[in-house]
Amino acid sequence: MTDKNLQEKANGNMSPLPLIPDITIDKKPTTLSDKRAKVSSSQFGFIVFLAGVMLIFACSLKVTRTTKTDLQIFLIILMLVQMFWMLLYILISDSKKWGLKEKDAHAGARWLRCGIALFAVMTLIMDSLDFAYFLGYSQCMPVTEGIYQVTHFIHTVFQVYFLWYHSKDVILSFKSLERFGLILSVFTNLLLWTSAVAIESESQLLEHMGRLSSLGFVNISRAENRPECNCTNNLCGSFSKGVFYTYPFNIEYHILASTMLFVLWKNIGNKIKYHQKKMVFKFHYVLPGAILGFVVLAVTIGVLVTYFLKIGYSKHNSELALLIYYLYSIIVLSIMCVASVIGLSLFKVENNSVGEDKSPTIKLDADLLIGAACGSWIIAWGSILAIIFAQSHPTYTWYNLPYSILIIIEKYVQNLFIIKYIYCKNGKTTANVISNTEISSIPNEMNSQVELTGTESYNEDTSSMQHIIQTSPALEDKETFHKATIVENVSLKDLDIISKDKPMMNQVHYLVSQIPNNEDISMKLNSKKIIMKNITVFLFMCNIALWLSPAFGCRPQYDNGLEALVFGFEPWIIVIDIALPFSVFYRMHSAYSLFDVYSTI
């Protein structure tokens, strides 16, 4: 029972609980065929993924006789196969005879599906702009460009429909077939994500080379690939810019889709029992956290605009842009560290118990947070080493040192904060402790007369309450009655039975006397919950703000030049191209997880 539930019981008014459903996952003994299918499907997926990665790598390096057309044909085939499997799954799922499945309430939350739908809409806009760009240069571009955009458009619509209606499914029939179909879908999305990251990294690299030249570190030029013919309309440049600004949403869409599909794959064959509870999100008393979060978001947009207006135009302007960015980041990261530490402290004060949840969704969330944070940590440690071993240090590079250290600390503390709360079971409060320790003191022969389950609904009508009060002399005082209902294991039905037994009534009366006044409980619990909700909302907005910077091209890891000077230009670029996408993904995934944390407080 949560603190909020105690307060509402004390006031005699119970509303729908904003809790994640109670879930128990009973795994059947793994048969040899199930284990073989799981191993076979995972190996199949990795083989397909590695083949695609090598093809992307060959195209990026422009290996002889390997072209972008070859990669697009490979991805088109994968998308078509995935769409065929999804169609087959939907037909089987809709069949009453073969559609054997259960639901995992932890997977595919509505807010998560709304998030992927939003990213999908932006992806569809990107595909439309990219196809319009292809039409403008259709005379000199291969037809596979247009076919790829159309296929990707249809694939996005089909996949979002599939995830919206089937992301909670626990598959219990045709398990071997579904394992291969799902793992292919997972790695298809990972390949589409990898391909998008490679294309974006190449376009970003051209801009960063010019910015480094303005700082005097390097003087490297690279030819930009452009169509060999003229555009048939005057809008090709606008279409290209539109694709550039919508590309980050496409990248987030594919990585999010792959994680949701992976949860489906992990849930195959599980037996899940849960009690569905209505989730109600209340946004009362979170105005301070929301205002601070929006202030950070507004300042972030201002810093981004300043950064793009100054970086790369002259040495003075570039240094000023980097200096502003580092100062802004140091302040925001410091505040986020303090907020996360306060949240962890309140977690310990509440003495919440942390349970081992077997849901693949919960475990995957925690693993992704730590795994994605490694990308930022790699870059941060590279920057720290570069500052230590560099022979010369321009003024702005010294601000990179506290920035890099704070990146490591902030993600470490925030991960602890999120993971503790997404694994947290309902905390034990004063009333819980009293009920758990004292209710057992009622004699066994009395316990046999009544089962104190605590599952009775507290939304019964007023007449039922009045009946118990009138027929229970020991509970004539209304305040005493409300205190009795606070005890977790004593429901209205239980009170009706207990009131007829005088010895047992004396025990309950003693328990009631040990519970503090309603006002004390309300004030104590409300203050902690309000602080926690404000911290969560603030961190949510900060992570959205910090996602905007690298997603839309504000990347000082490229632009300050010190790391490239120490490690070498090409080695450092390789490190950035591998690690930075995980860093960008971390911020968006943290926002998802913090939304989940908010719903459990």
Side-chain angles (χ1 to χ4, degrees), residues 10-11 479 483 516-526:
N11 296 329
E479 180 68 20
K483 284 186 178 181
N517 292 329
N518 295 340
E519 292 79 6
D520 297 336
I521 295 175
S522 178
M523 290 178 63
K524 183 177 179 180
L525 301 184
N526 263 341

Side-chain angles (χ1 to χ4, degrees), residues 311-364:
I311 195 73
Y313 290 97
S314 67
K315 184 176 181 179
H316 174 73
N317 286 336
S318 295
E319 290 181 352
L320 182 61
L322 290 167
L323 182 61
I324 292 173
Y325 180 84
Y326 284 135
L327 288 173
Y328 146 81
S329 299
I330 289 169
I331 294 171
V332 172
L333 291 172
S334 299
I335 298 173
M336 291 177 70
C337 286
V338 173
S340 297
V341 169
I342 293 174
L344 286 171
S345 301
L346 288 175
F347 180 90
K348 291 182 179 180
V349 168
E350 284 184 341
N351 195 26
N352 287 325
S353 58
V354 179
E356 184 181 352
D357 201 312
K358 296 181 181 179
S359 172
T361 309
I362 300 297
K363 187 177 185 303
L364 182 62

Side-chain angles (χ1 to χ4, degrees), residues 443-511:
N444 291 333
E445 62 271 13
M446 297 179 183
N447 285 338
S448 62
Q449 301 174 26
V450 56
E451 182 181 0
L452 305 180
T453 61
T455 58
E456 183 72 11
S457 172
Y458 287 89
N459 290 325
E460 298 185 16
D461 55 34
T462 307
S463 61
S464 299
M465 296 181 183
Q466 294 297 331
H467 171 72
I468 295 175
I469 294 174
Q470 292 170 2
T471 59
S472 304
L475 294 178
E476 290 178 351
D477 178 48
K478 188 173 182 180
E479 180 68 20
T480 304
F481 168 73
H482 286 312
K483 284 186 178 181
T485 61
I486 292 175
V487 181
E488 178 184 18
N489 290 329
V490 181
S491 66
L492 295 176
K493 182 179 179 181
D494 297 332
L495 287 172
D496 194 14
I497 298 173
I498 292 172
S499 64
K500 299 175 183 179
D501 191 301
K502 187 174 181 179
M504 189 180 293
M505 198 63 243
N506 291 335
Q507 290 282 354
V508 173
H509 211 60
Y510 170 75
L511 295 180

